[in-house]
């Protein structure tokens, strides 16, 4: 009787201690997980986090980006014909500066976006078309869109800051010259507005078109996630290593055309090396005759051009920055070439 009573007592005490320990352990863990902290970014925005600076809580402002979707996505605008018979292309671009994107697993960064994306949409028009951009700034700061190309001063997106919280401006100009051009915000401090993601690509096609090809856009970009004016990550199209883990599918004997734009800040140069092949290179895409036949180009800030090539043999082919630091921090990808017996490559020429 005494023995069983003491057993019950021991059991009761054990249960009490187990519950107490569990209470302290779990409540501690629960409070650690649910504890939210505010983090002030150098851009002045406040991000709520679960305690780790690089681990903000997902919110409605968390943005998703699909580099495979971006790669071959061109925005030709809403097309209509003007009274003089020329083509009008209208685009809507909305700027925001409160989005958070997981640019690498566990690395969250406050991105500033055109149409909710970094880079913004690839605007595409034909030489001589009227381009009309209906711009709304839904950010908290002033922003603009500065297009590279030829246009009147007041359409340059420099001296007409567009106020936040719904400010509007209509950019209108004739598309030209033929080529591939960047567009980006031009509010000071410029570096801050660009590196957060306010940039995109503007393609002007020649009236006679180009030879049919599998066309892609690659924006070479980087992210300074610890705000020390040095990039921590590099990429072709925003997400480090994306095209290495998700190779770009292409066909052999098919012309590949890449519109490449270097938007990396802080580092004076970037470059593009293609494996087991060479490409025709048209700097800025303005000429109809390629300037180089090479496997390596070097690009400074906003330098860009058009690359054309095809693969003869099926297989996996790397492309990457030959500045090894950049490729080791994400600027690397793979083309996976598949046998293509039906479609033979066509000569690249204009006027067809
Ligand atoms: Cu801006």
């Amino acid at each position: 009787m005494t023995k069983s009573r003491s057993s019950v007592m021991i059991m009761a005490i054990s249960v009490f201690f187990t519950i107490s320990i569990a209470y302290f352990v779990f409540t501690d863990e629960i409070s650690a997980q649910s504890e939210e902290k505010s983090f002030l970014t150098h851009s002045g925005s406040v991000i709520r986090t679960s305690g780790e600076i690089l681990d903000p809580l997902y919110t409605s402002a968390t943005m998703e980006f699909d580099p495979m979707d971006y790669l071959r996505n061109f925005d030709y605008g809403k097309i209509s014909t003007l009274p003089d018979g020329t083509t009008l292309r209208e685009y809507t671009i909305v700027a925001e500066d409160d989005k958070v994107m997981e640019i690498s697993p566990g690395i969250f960064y406050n991105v500033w976006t055109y149409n909710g994306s970094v880079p913004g949409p690839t605007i595409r028009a034909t030489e001589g078309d009227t381009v009309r951009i209906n711009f709304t700034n839904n950010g908290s700061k002033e922003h603009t869109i500065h297009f590279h190309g030829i246009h009147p001063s007041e359409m340059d997106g420099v001296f007409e800051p567009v106020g936040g919280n719904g400010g509007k401006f209509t950019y209108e100009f004739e598309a030209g010259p033929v080529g591939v051009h960047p567009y980006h915000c031009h509010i000071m401090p410029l570096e801050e507005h660009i590196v957060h993601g306010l940039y995109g690509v503007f393609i002007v096609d020649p009236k006679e078109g180009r030879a049919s090809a599998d066309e892609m856009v690659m924006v070479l970009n980087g992210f300074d996630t610890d705000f020390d004016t040095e990039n921590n990550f590099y990429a072709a199209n925003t997400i480090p290593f994306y095209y290495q883990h998700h190779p770009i599918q292409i066909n052999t004997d098919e012309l590949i055309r890449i519109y490449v734009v270097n938007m990396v800040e802080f580092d004076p140069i970037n470059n593009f090396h293609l494996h087991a092949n060479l490409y025709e290179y048209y700097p800025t895409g303005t000429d109809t005759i390629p300037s180089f036949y090479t496997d390596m180009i070097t690009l400074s800030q906003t330098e860009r051009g058009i690359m054309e090539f095809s693969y003869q043999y099926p297989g996996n082919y790397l492309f990457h920055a030959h500045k090894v630091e950049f490729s080791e921090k994400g600027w690397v990808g793979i083309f996976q070439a598949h046998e293509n017996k039906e479609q033979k490559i066509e000569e690249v020429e204009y006027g067809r």
Side-chain angles (χ1 to χ4, degrees), residues 16-294:
F16 173 76
F17 272 108
T18 309
I19 291 170
S20 308
I21 288 164
Y23 175 80
F24 285 114
V25 168
F26 288 113
T27 52
D28 213 35
E29 197 167 288
I30 290 161
S31 65
Q33 279 179 356
S34 62
E35 185 185 357
E36 291 183 12
K37 289 180 181 172
S38 291
F39 167 53
L40 185 69
T41 69
H42 86 302
S43 62
S45 52
V46 177
I47 296 176
R48 290 188 322 162
T49 84
S50 61
E52 297 294 330
I53 282 175
L54 296 177
D55 178 32
L57 300 173
Y58 277 94
T59 69
S60 59
T62 305
M63 186 193 106
E64 299 289 333
F65 177 72
D66 181 352
M68 207 53 90
D69 182 51
Y70 174 80
L71 185 71
R72 294 181 174 99
N73 203 332
F74 302 98
D75 186 348
Y76 288 90
K78 194 175 131 220
I79 302 168
S80 59
T81 305
L82 291 167
D84 65 359
T86 59
T87 300
L88 169 68
R89 293 179 191 268
E90 278 189 271
Y91 310 80
T92 300
I93 295 187
V94 178
E96 290 170 297
D97 50 31
D98 65 339
K99 294 273 186 285
V100 174
M101 183 171 64
E102 189 175 19
I103 58 166
S104 193
I107 306 295
F108 291 78
Y109 185 69
N110 169 218
V111 284
W112 299 2
T113 57
Y114 288 130
N115 288 1
S117 166
V118 178
T122 299
I123 301 294
R124 192 159 183 176
T126 302
E127 183 186 23
D129 291 349
T130 299
V131 171
R132 184 180 294 162
I133 311 276
N134 299 306
F135 176 56
T136 301
N137 179 7
N138 282 343
S140 58
K141 304 159 189 60
E142 292 181 330
H143 297 299
T144 63
I145 310 178
H146 161 66
F147 281 85
H148 287 215
I150 300 168
H151 44 249
S153 163
E154 64 272 23
M155 294 298 152
D156 201 37
V158 173
F159 303 116
E160 298 79 15
V162 182
N165 304 309
K168 288 180 192 299
F169 193 89
T170 303
Y171 298 96
E172 191 168 311
F173 50 85
E174 190 179 304
V178 164
V180 51
H181 311 291
Y183 66 84
H184 58 86
C185 180
H186 213 295
I187 294 290
M188 297 301 205
L190 193 55
E191 190 176 82
E192 186 180 27
H193 285 248
I194 292 176
V195 299
H196 276 85
L198 287 173
Y199 49 78
V201 176
F202 172 44
I203 295 171
V204 181
D205 290 316
K207 280 179 182 160
E208 58 275 23
R210 296 181 192 271
S212 68
D214 181 0
E215 298 198 314
M216 305 171 195
V217 173
M218 286 193 197
V219 172
L220 310 183
N221 48 3
F223 292 97
D224 168 21
T225 54
D226 55 3
F227 317 120
D228 63 354
T229 67
E230 283 186 23
N231 290 306
N232 303 85
F233 296 93
Y234 298 87
N237 295 343
T238 305
I239 307 293
F241 301 105
Y242 189 86
Y243 298 123
Q244 179 176 304
H245 299 306
H246 308 83
I248 297 170
Q249 305 298 308
I250 58 171
N251 293 318
T252 58
D253 294 319
E254 186 173 13
L255 182 64
I256 309 297
R257 180 179 296 122
I258 301 179
Y259 300 89
V260 60
V261 179
N262 179 39
M263 290 307 296
V264 166
E265 278 295 325
F266 308 126
D267 300 282
I269 59 122
N270 200 344
N271 49 36
F272 195 124
H273 172 52
L274 184 65
H275 274 234
N277 211 341
L278 277 79
Y279 48 87
E280 304 279 6
Y281 186 65
Y282 306 75
T284 319
T286 44
D287 209 340
T288 52
I289 299 161
S291 300
F292 307 110
Y293 183 55
T294 182

